[in-house]
């Protein structure tokens, strides 16, 4: 089947700047209309296309599942997401909010629960046992 223009949408995928102070968007085109949330997380895992931005999801991480229920996205990532997160509080902030702020641009997602069933915290700084809403204070449009 030929791809229809309506099947292709552009989303902002947030990555860290070099100082790990801000999240900066890269626009990505995601073809599968049915699963934009999965596509957004896959783009985050791939990392930025421009050299000045920093990947927020640790190497080796894989998306195991993503479900959206009652405006909450339940994101289940492989163990590398926690094990390879070496950035202290800053790395943890960037990892969590790059996912949350990227996903909450979808109208059906208001909050995101990352790894909520597996662990109470990623690196000891945030309680991630409850769904988290977006925080736009770190976003810097380029």
């Amino acid at each position: 089947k030929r791809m229809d223009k309506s099947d292709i949408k552009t989303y902002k995928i947030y990555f860290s700047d070099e100082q790990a102070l801000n999240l900066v968007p890269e626009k990505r085109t995601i073809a599968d209309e049915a699963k934009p949330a999965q596509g957004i997380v896959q783009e985050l895992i791939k990392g930025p296309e421009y050299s000045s931005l920093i990947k927020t999801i640790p190497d080796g991480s894989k998306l195991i599942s993503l479900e959206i229920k009652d405006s909450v996205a339940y994101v289940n990532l492989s163990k590398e997401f926690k094990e390879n997160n070496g950035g202290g509080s800053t790395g943890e902030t960037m990892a969590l909010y790059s996912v949350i702020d990227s996903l909450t641009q979808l109208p059906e997602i208001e909050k995101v629960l990352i790894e909520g069933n597996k662990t109470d915290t990623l690196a000891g700084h945030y309680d991630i046992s409850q769904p988290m809403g977006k925080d736009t204070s770190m976003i810097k449009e380029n």
Side-chain angles (χ1 to χ4, degrees), residues 83-112:
E83 287 173 4
N84 298 349
N85 187 300
S89 65
T90 317
E92 183 179 17
T93 304
M94 292 291 142
L96 293 172
Y97 280 103
S98 66
V99 176
I100 295 164
D101 289 349
S102 296
L103 284 173
T104 50
Q105 72 191 294
L106 298 173
E108 64 272 27
I109 298 175
E110 280 174 29
K111 291 190 165 175
V112 180

Side-chain angles (χ1 to χ4, degrees), residues 19-118:
Q19 293 76 37
L21 294 172
N22 295 294
L23 289 169
V24 180
E26 271 189 14
K27 287 202 164 78
R28 293 287 170 85
T29 305
I30 295 172
D32 183 1
E33 187 70 13
K35 303 232 184 263
Q38 281 85 340
I40 286 170
V41 176
Q42 297 295 3
E43 292 296 330
L44 281 165
I45 289 170
K46 274 189 222 163
E49 286 169 357
Y50 301 102
S51 56
S52 64
L53 298 178
I54 312 288
K55 189 174 177 170
T56 53
I57 306 243
D59 286 337
S61 303
K62 289 177 189 62
L63 178 61
I64 295 169
S65 66
L66 194 159
E67 285 175 68
I68 301 167
K69 199 173 158 218
D70 302 327
S71 303
V72 177
Y74 295 87
V75 182
N76 179 12
L77 291 155
S78 62
K79 63 185 190 312
E80 289 82 1
F81 183 62
K82 184 174 167 79
E83 287 173 4
N84 298 349
N85 187 300
S89 65
T90 317
E92 183 179 17
T93 304
M94 292 291 142
L96 293 172
Y97 280 103
S98 66
V99 176
I100 295 164
D101 289 349
S102 296
L103 284 173
T104 50
Q105 72 191 294
L106 298 173
E108 64 272 27
I109 298 175
E110 280 174 29
K111 291 190 165 175
V112 180
L113 186 65
I114 304 171
E115 301 296 281
N117 54 347
K118 292 191 209 162

